Amino acid sequence: MAHFVIMGCGRVGATLAHALEDAGHSVAIIDQDERAFRRLRTGFGGRKVTGVGFDQDTLRQADIENAYAFAAVSSGDNSNILATRVARETFHVEHVVARIYDPGRAEIYQRLGIPTVAAVRWSADQVLRRILPESAIKGDFREPSGRLILTELALNPGWIGHHIVDLEKAAPLRVAYLTRFGEGMLPGADTSYQQGDTVHAMVQGQDTAEVARILAAPPVKEI
């Protein structure tokens, strides 16, 4: 069991708090508006701390000194970045992330070594993946030559229950890893694709359209 500190008790913060508590971890959530804690479910066992998330005394009340990770997900970009820097630089929390609404700003902080999640860009990408065929594959990483892309795959629900190797047989790709219940895992020969899984694969740039087309459809039934 690990201890997590969350700054911001909006919908994202409350969802994170519930998920972490359900996974058996201890959680402290900070918000400067005490009314925000109403978003937490009845029986939430974590610590609720009223205060400014980048204030050191407030962070200490949340037991930041024993935190495994810190997530700043309030509605203010500047507050999130400042709180994240205090958590990492003052309290030496190794795992930190800041939610940023301005994509341009997020890229700057990412280059400075501050992990960020650009809320607007993430939401837009997720929507585009579902409505534009050419956006079904958006590379998360390209190797230096630019030929290979590590990407998240969009799969037709018909693939649920099929082995991961079936994806590799059907389309020109190599599955790198899965994200299941928020944790990465290396698939084996008998690993099946489950509902809620995120599949990450290496694809050649020239094959992205074909891969997207194949996986957007249910698997072909063998005769």
Side-chain angles (χ1 to χ4, degrees), residues 6-11 13 28-37 39 47-53 58 73-75:
I6 300 167
M7 171 185 144
C9 194
R11 285 179 295 179
I29 188 161
I30 301 169
D31 203 288
Q32 49 189 333
D33 185 353
E34 190 173 0
R35 294 172 297 179
F37 299 130
R39 292 188 176 91
R47 190 177 306 186
K48 306 168 190 174
V49 180
T50 303
V52 179
T58 299
V73 293
S74 76
S75 59

Side-chain angles (χ1 to χ4, degrees), residues 20 50 68 85 125 144 151 182:
L20 290 167
T50 303
Y68 170 80
R85 292 191 62 182
D125 284 350
T151 184

Side-chain angles (χ1 to χ4, degrees), residues 118-191:
V120 174
R121 180 174 58 192
W122 182 90
S123 299
D125 284 350
Q126 294 303 304
V127 172
L128 288 173
R129 284 178 193 239
R130 288 159 176 77
I131 63 175
L132 291 177
E134 62 268 29
S135 298
I137 290 185
K138 181 176 177 64
D140 300 317
F141 167 79
R142 284 180 182 265
E143 50 82 33
S145 74
R147 294 181 60 192
L148 295 177
I149 302 171
L150 176 63
T151 184
E152 176 184 322
L153 301 178
L155 300 175
N156 184 285
W159 289 98
I160 294 173
H162 285 257
H163 288 145
I164 292 300
V165 293
D166 293 337
L167 299 176
E168 299 179 338
K169 292 177 182 177
L173 60 88
R174 179 66 57 85
V175 175
Y177 68 98
L178 300 179
T179 301
R180 179 173 293 172
F181 302 124
E183 296 186 355
M185 60 176 289
L186 294 175
D190 59 348
T191 302

Side-chain angles (χ1 to χ4, degrees), residues 64-110:
I64 190 69
E65 291 157 314
N66 293 307
Y68 170 80
F70 175 79
V73 293
S74 76
S75 59
D77 285 7
N78 291 335
S79 296
N80 288 342
I81 285 296
L82 182 55
T84 301
R85 292 191 62 182
V86 172
R88 189 175 68 174
E89 297 170 12
T90 301
F91 296 102
H92 309 293
V93 179
E94 183 177 357
H95 306 282
V96 299
V97 63
R99 182 190 191 190
I100 302 297
Y101 286 84
D102 181 349
R105 205 182 266 182
E107 292 180 3
I108 293 172
Y109 288 121
Q110 199 78 42

